[in-house]
Amino acid sequence: MFKLAQVSGYVVMAVFILQACSPMTKPSRSVYAVDANTVWQTVELTADGMHYGLDVNGVSRNGPIRTVWLQRRSANSPYAYDTFQLNIDCSEQQFMLMMLTLIENNQVTGIQNDAPLAYRSDTGVRAPFGQWLTIDKGSREEKIQAMVCQRQP
């Protein structure tokens, strides 16, 4: 009986060792990629060649709130651009900056969602993340609101 218990102990130990030595599977690498087929509908083209486009097929709705992606791309740098995720309140004249992604060659190289930045570089307005801001008449945000709030749910 002593030998059987001893052998059982060795078997359990061998299974433990074999499991510990089994080849590890590599965890899949997280890659944030950009859909190169996304069609960006023009919101604005500035005099300095900055194109602002809206992914109208990617608009999500939650009551009066629309979540949208806005692309900012310079004609001088077609492979490096920014995208902004915005919330637009269709019932109020407000927008909220949610996230900024930096993209190079259709790969996301940076994500920012916790610090203020010069979102409206043409006006120098600093838009903090996660705060409702008033949509000004004639602004880019008013154009976006008109595009995404045409049909209220």
Side-chain angles (χ1 to χ4, degrees):
M1 180 122 169
F2 176 70
K3 285 195 175 227
L4 182 59
Q6 189 176 11
V7 171
S8 295
Y10 288 135
V11 170
V12 170
M13 187 182 297
V15 169
F16 255 174
I17 290 171
L18 287 176
Q19 283 181 342
C21 294
S22 65
M24 294 284 291
T25 56
K26 260 184 136 175
S28 60
R29 197 178 122 197
S30 293
V31 176
Y32 294 96
V34 177
D35 184 357
N37 297 318
T38 300
V39 177
W40 298 96
Q41 185 174 342
T42 300
V43 174
E44 185 176 37
L45 181 60
T46 63
D48 63 350
M50 195 65 72
H51 177 263
Y52 291 86
L54 183 70
D55 177 11
V56 290
N57 294 324
V59 176
S60 65
R61 295 166 168 76
N62 184 9
I65 308 297
R66 303 291 184 266
T67 302
V68 300
W69 284 98
L70 178 70
Q71 180 191 75
R72 177 175 66 181
R73 182 187 298 250
S74 170
N76 298 326
S77 180
Y79 299 106
Y81 56 93
D82 306 328
T83 58
F84 298 91
Q85 186 181 42
L86 303 170
N87 278 344
I88 302 287
D89 190 334
C90 293
S91 62
E92 304 287 331
Q93 290 290 109
Q94 295 182 330
F95 79 100
M96 181 187 298
L97 181 61
M98 301 298 293
M99 183 185 330
L100 163 68
T101 56
L102 309 173
I103 300 163
E104 293 178 20
N105 295 321
N106 289 328
Q107 294 292 318
V108 175
T109 59
I111 298 174
Q112 183 178 13
N113 65 357
D114 61 353
L117 76 156
Y119 163 68
R120 297 287 311 268
S121 59
D122 54 333
T123 62
V125 172
R126 294 182 68 79
F129 288 95
Q131 294 180 17
W132 287 108
L133 303 169
T134 303
I135 295 177
D136 298 326
K137 290 266 184 225
S139 68
R140 186 175 305 122
E141 293 78 24
E142 186 181 51
K143 293 172 188 174
I144 296 168
Q145 186 180 37
M147 292 170 77
V148 300
C149 295
Q150 294 171 1
R151 288 173 278 157
Q152 293 276 345

